[in-house]
Amino acid sequence: MLVTSQPLFKRFWYPVIPMSLLAKDQPKSFQLLGQKIVLWLGTDGKPIAAVDRCCHRSARLSLGKVTNGLLACAYHGWQYDGTGSCLCVPQLPLDAPIPKNYRIDTYACEERYGYVWVCLGEPINKIPELPEASDAEFRLIPEFYEVWNCAGLRVMENEMDLAHPTFVHTTTFGSTNHPIPEELEITETDYGLRATAVLGVVNPESQKKNLKMDSHITHRKLEMDWFMPFTCKLRINYPNGLVHIVVNTATPIDDNSSQIVQFCMRNDTEEQTKTTDVIAFDRQVTLEDKAVLESTDYDVPLDTKFEQHMMTDRPGLVMRRKLAAMISSVM
């Protein structure tokens, strides 16, 4: 499955950039599903997304500047508003009307969870709802924003693959005594799927400190949600009441690369566990995943006969089947 060849994927929401990276006067560029887009802030402080191409001579608008919410092309100074209309052509007399076809395409764009989310087409779903993000008992910690050379579907399957920790996460939490989960239940939902599981893991010294637990072995009670197509929420419930939630999106840059956007939510405080310690451990886990995932084929076959499978692949097989069905329904 090549994501840029399937129009369906243009109809989903993806986080493309942290809001903190958008300056008041400076636009930013991003490539989403092979489409170059430009992002900037309007006068109301809300993000705007548009095609990164001036309608005049095709210069990249992300090279320009933003003034009072208007994006000016660096080539000839044409200025565009948040609807894509050109409001100023410096080369025209002040009283001359600007032709209505002097405009650029804009895209659905919203801020959520500290990130700018963009949909290139008519949205067929909503931005994932994360109740803990508005719960005062939880804090939200941005963790990673980097490019991985692998398919988003591989990342999603990995998030719910509970057979790999023993072999991949050898320096973090993988337990040789627990190569498979003790429980695994899957329920299909309108947004994707939900899985619950119990997995035995080890606690290295750094994690004992983060979790405020002395035991070397513990059991994670997992609640995992997959939001089509490439967002996963992993809620880890520990025996002492601590909840650690990882939200991971593999935003598709093109067929073989993904922008990994990851943040976590926890029901503890900075005084109890430092943000830097939380990020450091999750970073170690993520790098273990990255090394393996970047070795996989990015053209993921939705037809199950082209790869072999085992019991713990059930969530991934549901993902493939649901995506294949949606692709077929819009063809």
Side-chain angles (χ1 to χ4, degrees):
M1 179 189 69
L2 301 178
V3 290
T4 62
S5 300
Q6 303 295 341
L8 170 72
F9 292 106
K10 291 184 177 181
R11 301 185 63 187
F12 289 103
W13 288 95
Y14 307 97
V16 298
I17 190 173
M19 277 292 292
S20 60
L21 294 185
L22 274 184
K24 197 171 185 180
D25 61 349
Q26 187 64 50
K28 291 288 186 180
S29 63
F30 191 84
Q31 182 170 297
L32 178 59
L33 288 162
Q35 173 67 59
K36 290 183 172 61
I37 64 175
V38 60
L39 303 126
W40 76 97
L41 295 176
T43 53
D44 57 1
K46 295 181 179 179
I48 300 165
V51 61
D52 194 5
R53 184 182 187 277
C54 183
C55 70
H56 174 225
R57 286 297 181 270
S58 78
R60 294 187 64 177
L61 293 170
S62 55
L63 299 175
K65 292 288 185 181
V66 179
T67 304
N68 296 325
L70 298 181
L71 174 59
C73 179
Y75 198 3
H76 296 95
W78 289 27
Q79 296 181 20
Y80 300 92
D81 67 7
T83 70
S85 297
C86 182
L87 298 189
C88 177
V89 178
Q91 295 77 20
L92 291 178
L94 290 178
D95 58 350
I98 298 175
K100 292 184 178 180
N101 61 343
Y102 283 20
R103 61 176 297 106
I104 57 174
D105 291 336
T106 58
Y107 306 110
C109 183
E110 293 186 20
E111 176 188 0
R112 194 74 58 85
Y113 314 125
Y115 295 86
V116 179
W117 294 68
V118 174
C119 179
L120 296 179
E122 183 67 26
I124 58 175
N125 69 340
K126 298 179 180 179
I127 295 173
E129 292 292 337
L130 308 174
E132 295 87 355
S134 58
D135 187 333
E137 295 296 316
F138 286 81
R139 53 177 170 147
L140 189 151
I141 302 173
E143 292 196 310
F144 316 120
Y145 179 75
E146 63 186 19
V147 176
W148 286 15
N149 295 314
C150 65
L153 185 51
R154 296 286 190 194
V155 179
M156 294 297 99
E157 290 186 338
N158 180 75
E159 290 291 307
M160 292 197 173
D161 173 8
L162 298 181
H164 81 278
T166 294
F167 305 96
V168 174
H169 299 298
T170 56
T171 68
T172 50
F173 67 91
S175 169
T176 56
N177 295 322
H178 300 87
I180 61 172
E182 296 178 16
E183 300 175 19
L184 178 60
E185 298 292 335
I186 300 171
T187 304
E188 294 190 37
T189 65
D190 57 348
Y191 58 80
L193 72 83
R194 162 163 274 231
T196 58
V198 175
L199 180 68
V201 300
V202 300
N203 291 322
E205 291 304 316
S206 60
Q207 188 69 330
K208 290 179 182 179
K209 177 182 176 183
N210 290 346
L211 301 178
K212 301 298 182 286
M213 296 172 63
D214 295 326
S215 59
H216 179 65
I217 295 287
T218 190
H219 283 79
R220 291 179 172 183
K221 292 185 178 180
L222 305 168
E223 300 172 42
M224 303 176 288
D225 291 281
W226 171 58
F227 300 91
M228 294 186 287
F230 307 128
T231 294
C232 187
K233 173 190 173 187
L234 173 63
R235 178 177 172 128
I236 307 170
N237 302 292
Y238 288 100
N240 64 355
L242 177 68
V243 177
H244 181 81
I245 300 169
V246 175
V247 179
N248 183 294
T249 300
T251 297
I253 296 172
D254 51 31
D255 288 326
N256 62 353
S257 60
S258 304
Q259 183 74 49
I260 303 301
V261 177
Q262 181 171 308
F263 58 91
C264 76
M265 295 176 285
R266 291 170 63 99
N267 63 342
D268 61 1
T269 65
E270 179 69 19
E271 290 70 27
Q272 292 171 317
T273 305
K274 293 182 179 179
T275 294
T276 52
D277 292 337
V278 173
I279 294 175
F281 183 80
D282 282 356
R283 177 59 169 169
Q284 191 176 355
V285 172
T286 307
L287 289 177
E288 290 173 328
D289 283 322
K290 181 181 181 183
V292 174
L293 288 173
E294 289 195 325
S295 74
T296 61
D297 295 337
Y298 62 83
D299 189 358
V300 185
L302 298 184
D303 189 331
T304 59
K305 70 183 180 183
F306 292 106
E307 292 183 339
Q308 306 309 312
H309 316 285
M310 58 183 177
M311 176 272 292
T312 49
D313 295 323
R314 286 164 51 207
L317 293 177
V318 172
M319 294 178 188
R320 296 189 191 197
R321 177 170 54 77
K322 289 180 77 79
L323 289 176
M326 290 194 73
I327 289 171
S328 297
S329 69
V330 298
M331 291 180 64

mmCIF file of all heavy atoms in Angstrom, residues 157 160-164 178-186 195-199 224 308-318:
data_model
loop_
_atom_site.group_PDB
_atom_site.id
_atom_site.type_symbol
_atom_site.label_atom_id
_atom_site.label_comp_id
_atom_site.label_asym_id
_atom_site.label_seq_id
_atom_site.Cartn_x
_atom_site.Cartn_y
_atom_site.Cartn_z
ATOM 1 N N GLU A 157 1.105 -0.853 13.634
ATOM 2 C CA GLU A 157 1.099 -2.268 13.993
ATOM 3 C C GLU A 157 2.082 -2.536 15.129
ATOM 4 O O GLU A 157 1.801 -3.326 16.039
ATOM 5 C CB GLU A 157 1.455 -3.122 12.776
ATOM 6 C CG GLU A 157 0.372 -3.139 11.710
ATOM 7 C CD GLU A 157 0.677 -4.095 10.568
ATOM 8 O OE1 GLU A 157 1.856 -4.445 10.358
ATOM 9 O OE2 GLU A 157 -0.265 -4.495 9.888
ATOM 10 N N MET A 160 0.842 -1.813 18.707
ATOM 11 C CA MET A 160 -0.058 -2.805 19.310
ATOM 12 C C MET A 160 0.477 -4.222 19.234
ATOM 13 O O MET A 160 -0.239 -5.182 19.552
ATOM 14 C CB MET A 160 -1.433 -2.724 18.639
ATOM 15 C CG MET A 160 -2.177 -1.443 18.938
ATOM 16 S SD MET A 160 -3.929 -1.584 18.550
ATOM 17 C CE MET A 160 -4.537 -0.022 19.195
ATOM 18 N N ASP A 161 1.727 -4.375 18.846
ATOM 19 C CA ASP A 161 2.362 -5.692 18.768
ATOM 20 C C ASP A 161 3.027 -5.995 20.109
ATOM 21 O O ASP A 161 4.083 -5.451 20.440
ATOM 22 C CB ASP A 161 3.395 -5.680 17.638
ATOM 23 C CG ASP A 161 4.234 -6.952 17.588
ATOM 24 O OD1 ASP A 161 3.924 -7.911 18.328
ATOM 25 O OD2 ASP A 161 5.207 -6.974 16.817
ATOM 26 N N LEU A 162 2.421 -6.882 20.883
ATOM 27 C CA LEU A 162 2.928 -7.177 22.225
ATOM 28 C C LEU A 162 3.844 -8.393 22.252
ATOM 29 O O LEU A 162 4.179 -8.904 23.318
ATOM 30 C CB LEU A 162 1.757 -7.369 23.190
ATOM 31 C CG LEU A 162 0.859 -6.132 23.349
ATOM 32 C CD1 LEU A 162 -0.257 -6.402 24.335
ATOM 33 C CD2 LEU A 162 1.671 -4.908 23.776
ATOM 34 N N ALA A 163 4.279 -8.837 21.059
ATOM 35 C CA ALA A 163 5.244 -9.929 20.997
ATOM 36 C C ALA A 163 6.664 -9.430 20.760
ATOM 37 O O ALA A 163 7.622 -10.185 20.916
ATOM 38 C CB ALA A 163 4.866 -10.913 19.884
ATOM 39 N N HIS A 164 6.807 -8.152 20.400
ATOM 40 C CA HIS A 164 8.148 -7.651 20.073
ATOM 41 C C HIS A 164 8.955 -7.124 21.260
ATOM 42 O O HIS A 164 10.188 -7.090 21.179
ATOM 43 C CB HIS A 164 8.065 -6.569 18.989
ATOM 44 C CG HIS A 164 7.708 -5.197 19.482
ATOM 45 N ND1 HIS A 164 6.417 -4.802 19.725
ATOM 46 C CD2 HIS A 164 8.495 -4.117 19.782
ATOM 47 C CE1 HIS A 164 6.413 -3.547 20.139
ATOM 48 N NE2 HIS A 164 7.660 -3.110 20.191
ATOM 49 N N HIS A 178 8.179 -13.066 29.427
ATOM 50 C CA HIS A 178 6.839 -12.701 28.963
ATOM 51 C C HIS A 178 6.885 -12.370 27.468
ATOM 52 O O HIS A 178 6.707 -11.206 27.076
ATOM 53 C CB HIS A 178 6.297 -11.504 29.760
ATOM 54 C CG HIS A 178 6.193 -11.757 31.229
ATOM 55 N ND1 HIS A 178 7.247 -11.539 32.097
ATOM 56 C CD2 HIS A 178 5.163 -12.237 31.983
ATOM 57 C CE1 HIS A 178 6.867 -11.860 33.323
ATOM 58 N NE2 HIS A 178 5.613 -12.288 33.290
ATOM 59 N N PRO A 179 7.117 -13.373 26.614
ATOM 60 C CA PRO A 179 7.226 -13.129 25.172
ATOM 61 C C PRO A 179 5.897 -12.814 24.491
ATOM 62 O O PRO A 179 5.878 -12.338 23.362
ATOM 63 C CB PRO A 179 7.820 -14.433 24.633
ATOM 64 C CG PRO A 179 7.352 -15.471 25.611
ATOM 65 C CD PRO A 179 7.347 -14.790 26.949
ATOM 66 N N ILE A 180 4.784 -13.106 25.175
ATOM 67 C CA ILE A 180 3.458 -12.788 24.654
ATOM 68 C C ILE A 180 2.612 -12.225 25.792
ATOM 69 O O ILE A 180 2.906 -12.459 26.970
ATOM 70 C CB ILE A 180 2.760 -14.015 24.028
ATOM 71 C CG1 ILE A 180 2.570 -15.114 25.072
ATOM 72 C CG2 ILE A 180 3.523 -14.531 22.813
ATOM 73 C CD1 ILE A 180 1.719 -16.271 24.562
ATOM 74 N N PRO A 181 1.563 -11.491 25.482
ATOM 75 C CA PRO A 181 0.704 -10.950 26.543
ATOM 76 C C PRO A 181 -0.079 -12.062 27.236
ATOM 77 O O PRO A 181 -0.386 -13.095 26.633
ATOM 78 C CB PRO A 181 -0.225 -9.998 25.791
ATOM 79 C CG PRO A 181 -0.265 -10.541 24.401
ATOM 80 C CD PRO A 181 1.113 -11.069 24.143
ATOM 81 N N GLU A 182 -0.399 -11.848 28.482
ATOM 82 C CA GLU A 182 -1.213 -12.821 29.224
ATOM 83 C C GLU A 182 -2.681 -12.729 28.816
ATOM 84 O O GLU A 182 -3.412 -13.715 28.908
ATOM 85 C CB GLU A 182 -1.054 -12.585 30.728
ATOM 86 C CG GLU A 182 0.368 -12.828 31.215
ATOM 87 C CD GLU A 182 0.528 -12.547 32.698
ATOM 88 O OE1 GLU A 182 -0.506 -12.471 33.398
ATOM 89 O OE2 GLU A 182 1.670 -12.398 33.148
ATOM 90 N N GLU A 183 -3.090 -11.538 28.384
ATOM 91 C CA GLU A 183 -4.457 -11.334 27.907
ATOM 92 C C GLU A 183 -4.403 -10.408 26.697
ATOM 93 O O GLU A 183 -3.545 -9.534 26.615
ATOM 94 C CB GLU A 183 -5.340 -10.686 28.988
ATOM 95 C CG GLU A 183 -5.479 -11.495 30.265
ATOM 96 C CD GLU A 183 -6.259 -10.732 31.335
ATOM 97 O OE1 GLU A 183 -6.972 -9.769 30.962
ATOM 98 O OE2 GLU A 183 -6.142 -11.091 32.515
ATOM 99 N N LEU A 184 -5.319 -10.591 25.754
ATOM 100 C CA LEU A 184 -5.435 -9.707 24.604
ATOM 101 C C LEU A 184 -6.855 -9.791 24.064
ATOM 102 O O LEU A 184 -7.285 -10.832 23.594
ATOM 103 C CB LEU A 184 -4.437 -10.080 23.508
ATOM 104 C CG LEU A 184 -4.505 -9.249 22.211
ATOM 105 C CD1 LEU A 184 -4.252 -7.769 22.513
ATOM 106 C CD2 LEU A 184 -3.521 -9.763 21.168
ATOM 107 N N GLU A 185 -7.581 -8.686 24.177
ATOM 108 C CA GLU A 185 -8.948 -8.612 23.666
ATOM 109 C C GLU A 185 -9.039 -7.451 22.680
ATOM 110 O O GLU A 185 -8.501 -6.369 22.919
ATOM 111 C CB GLU A 185 -9.949 -8.395 24.806
ATOM 112 C CG GLU A 185 -9.985 -9.528 25.828
ATOM 113 C CD GLU A 185 -10.559 -10.809 25.257
ATOM 114 O OE1 GLU A 185 -11.345 -10.713 24.270
ATOM 115 O OE2 GLU A 185 -10.237 -11.897 25.785
ATOM 116 N N ILE A 186 -9.726 -7.672 21.563
ATOM 117 C CA ILE A 186 -9.819 -6.670 20.505
ATOM 118 C C ILE A 186 -11.282 -6.376 20.200
ATOM 119 O O ILE A 186 -12.099 -7.295 20.067
ATOM 120 C CB ILE A 186 -9.116 -7.147 19.222
ATOM 121 C CG1 ILE A 186 -7.638 -7.423 19.491
ATOM 122 C CG2 ILE A 186 -9.251 -6.111 18.099
ATOM 123 C CD1 ILE A 186 -6.933 -8.088 18.330
ATOM 124 N N ALA A 195 -8.016 -2.252 21.918
ATOM 125 C CA ALA A 195 -7.499 -3.513 22.441
ATOM 126 C C ALA A 195 -7.148 -3.337 23.910
ATOM 127 O O ALA A 195 -6.675 -2.275 24.332
ATOM 128 C CB ALA A 195 -6.275 -3.962 21.652
ATOM 129 N N THR A 196 -7.396 -4.358 24.704
ATOM 130 C CA THR A 196 -6.970 -4.375 26.096
ATOM 131 C C THR A 196 -6.072 -5.585 26.285
ATOM 132 O O THR A 196 -6.271 -6.630 25.656
ATOM 133 C CB THR A 196 -8.170 -4.448 27.052
ATOM 134 O OG1 THR A 196 -8.937 -5.613 26.765
ATOM 135 C CG2 THR A 196 -9.040 -3.209 26.924
ATOM 136 N N ALA A 197 -5.068 -5.425 27.139
ATOM 137 C CA ALA A 197 -4.105 -6.510 27.312
ATOM 138 C C ALA A 197 -3.412 -6.392 28.649
ATOM 139 O O ALA A 197 -3.456 -5.347 29.314
ATOM 140 C CB ALA A 197 -3.072 -6.481 26.184
ATOM 141 N N VAL A 198 -2.765 -7.476 29.048
ATOM 142 C CA VAL A 198 -1.908 -7.499 30.225
ATOM 143 C C VAL A 198 -0.566 -8.066 29.785
ATOM 144 O O VAL A 198 -0.498 -9.131 29.167
ATOM 145 C CB VAL A 198 -2.495 -8.371 31.348
ATOM 146 C CG1 VAL A 198 -1.506 -8.458 32.520
ATOM 147 C CG2 VAL A 198 -3.835 -7.801 31.816
ATOM 148 N N LEU A 199 0.509 -7.329 30.096
ATOM 149 C CA LEU A 199 1.839 -7.753 29.668
ATOM 150 C C LEU A 199 2.826 -7.619 30.825
ATOM 151 O O LEU A 199 2.910 -6.563 31.468
ATOM 152 C CB LEU A 199 2.327 -6.902 28.495
ATOM 153 C CG LEU A 199 3.722 -7.235 27.946
ATOM 154 C CD1 LEU A 199 3.712 -8.612 27.276
ATOM 155 C CD2 LEU A 199 4.190 -6.170 26.968
ATOM 156 N N MET A 224 -5.440 0.161 24.520
ATOM 157 C CA MET A 224 -4.833 0.662 23.293
ATOM 158 C C MET A 224 -5.905 1.020 22.283
ATOM 159 O O MET A 224 -6.780 0.207 21.978
ATOM 160 C CB MET A 224 -3.881 -0.387 22.713
ATOM 161 C CG MET A 224 -2.787 -0.819 23.685
ATOM 162 S SD MET A 224 -1.710 -2.144 23.043
ATOM 163 C CE MET A 224 -2.830 -3.554 23.121
ATOM 164 N N GLN A 308 3.459 -13.552 6.533
ATOM 165 C CA GLN A 308 2.989 -14.576 7.470
ATOM 166 C C GLN A 308 2.597 -13.895 8.794
ATOM 167 O O GLN A 308 3.070 -12.809 9.112
ATOM 168 C CB GLN A 308 4.077 -15.630 7.703
ATOM 169 C CG GLN A 308 4.613 -16.255 6.424
ATOM 170 C CD GLN A 308 3.510 -16.759 5.515
ATOM 171 O OE1 GLN A 308 2.589 -17.454 5.955
ATOM 172 N NE2 GLN A 308 3.587 -16.409 4.231
ATOM 173 N N HIS A 309 1.761 -14.573 9.573
ATOM 174 C CA HIS A 309 1.187 -13.940 10.751
ATOM 175 C C HIS A 309 1.102 -14.914 11.923
ATOM 176 O O HIS A 309 1.170 -16.133 11.743
ATOM 177 C CB HIS A 309 -0.219 -13.414 10.422
ATOM 178 C CG HIS A 309 -0.300 -12.703 9.112
ATOM 179 N ND1 HIS A 309 0.199 -11.431 8.930
ATOM 180 C CD2 HIS A 309 -0.772 -13.107 7.903
ATOM 181 C CE1 HIS A 309 0.011 -11.073 7.666
ATOM 182 N NE2 HIS A 309 -0.565 -12.079 7.025
ATOM 183 N N MET A 310 0.952 -14.325 13.136
ATOM 184 C CA MET A 310 0.777 -15.136 14.333
ATOM 185 C C MET A 310 -0.289 -14.485 15.211
ATOM 186 O O MET A 310 -0.833 -13.421 14.869
ATOM 187 C CB MET A 310 2.098 -15.298 15.089
ATOM 188 C CG MET A 310 2.756 -14.013 15.523
ATOM 189 S SD MET A 310 4.358 -14.324 16.340
ATOM 190 C CE MET A 310 4.921 -12.653 16.642
ATOM 191 N N MET A 311 -0.579 -15.112 16.346
ATOM 192 C CA MET A 311 -1.694 -14.691 17.182
ATOM 193 C C MET A 311 -1.606 -13.227 17.590
ATOM 194 O O MET A 311 -2.612 -12.503 17.577
ATOM 195 C CB MET A 311 -1.752 -15.588 18.431
ATOM 196 C CG MET A 311 -2.812 -15.197 19.456
ATOM 197 S SD MET A 311 -2.259 -13.979 20.698
ATOM 198 C CE MET A 311 -1.067 -14.945 21.614
ATOM 199 N N THR A 312 -0.428 -12.756 17.949
ATOM 200 C CA THR A 312 -0.283 -11.382 18.438
ATOM 201 C C THR A 312 -0.354 -10.343 17.326
ATOM 202 O O THR A 312 -0.301 -9.142 17.609
ATOM 203 C CB THR A 312 1.035 -11.236 19.206
ATOM 204 O OG1 THR A 312 2.103 -11.793 18.416
ATOM 205 C CG2 THR A 312 0.974 -11.944 20.546
ATOM 206 N N ASP A 313 -0.482 -10.784 16.073
ATOM 207 C CA ASP A 313 -0.638 -9.860 14.951
ATOM 208 C C ASP A 313 -2.090 -9.458 14.731
ATOM 209 O O ASP A 313 -2.382 -8.688 13.809
ATOM 210 C CB ASP A 313 -0.115 -10.494 13.650
ATOM 211 C CG ASP A 313 1.377 -10.744 13.681
ATOM 212 O OD1 ASP A 313 2.100 -9.912 14.252
ATOM 213 O OD2 ASP A 313 1.819 -11.769 13.132
ATOM 214 N N ARG A 314 -2.994 -9.955 15.554
ATOM 215 C CA ARG A 314 -4.425 -9.712 15.337
ATOM 216 C C ARG A 314 -4.784 -8.232 15.215
ATOM 217 O O ARG A 314 -5.537 -7.863 14.299
ATOM 218 C CB ARG A 314 -5.242 -10.377 16.451
ATOM 219 C CG ARG A 314 -5.320 -11.900 16.308
ATOM 220 C CD ARG A 314 -5.784 -12.553 17.606
ATOM 221 N NE ARG A 314 -7.007 -11.951 18.125
ATOM 222 C CZ ARG A 314 -7.345 -11.944 19.408
ATOM 223 N NH1 ARG A 314 -6.566 -12.492 20.312
ATOM 224 N NH2 ARG A 314 -8.473 -11.387 19.798
ATOM 225 N N PRO A 315 -4.268 -7.338 16.075
ATOM 226 C CA PRO A 315 -4.623 -5.920 15.891
ATOM 227 C C PRO A 315 -4.175 -5.388 14.526
ATOM 228 O O PRO A 315 -4.931 -4.672 13.862
ATOM 229 C CB PRO A 315 -3.878 -5.229 17.037
ATOM 230 C CG PRO A 315 -3.705 -6.288 18.080
ATOM 231 C CD PRO A 315 -3.487 -7.548 17.316
ATOM 232 N N GLY A 316 -2.979 -5.749 14.105
ATOM 233 C CA GLY A 316 -2.488 -5.285 12.813
ATOM 234 C C GLY A 316 -3.297 -5.816 11.654
ATOM 235 O O GLY A 316 -3.518 -5.117 10.651
ATOM 236 N N LEU A 317 -3.781 -7.051 11.771
ATOM 237 C CA LEU A 317 -4.597 -7.626 10.713
ATOM 238 C C LEU A 317 -5.944 -6.916 10.611
ATOM 239 O O LEU A 317 -6.484 -6.735 9.515
ATOM 240 C CB LEU A 317 -4.792 -9.121 10.949
ATOM 241 C CG LEU A 317 -3.516 -9.973 10.827
ATOM 242 C CD1 LEU A 317 -3.819 -11.433 11.168
ATOM 243 C CD2 LEU A 317 -2.925 -9.863 9.426
ATOM 244 N N VAL A 318 -6.476 -6.499 11.759
ATOM 245 C CA VAL A 318 -7.710 -5.711 11.737
ATOM 246 C C VAL A 318 -7.464 -4.379 11.043
ATOM 247 O O VAL A 318 -8.278 -3.916 10.237
ATOM 248 C CB VAL A 318 -8.246 -5.486 13.167
ATOM 249 C CG1 VAL A 318 -9.422 -4.498 13.149
ATOM 250 C CG2 VAL A 318 -8.685 -6.794 13.787
#
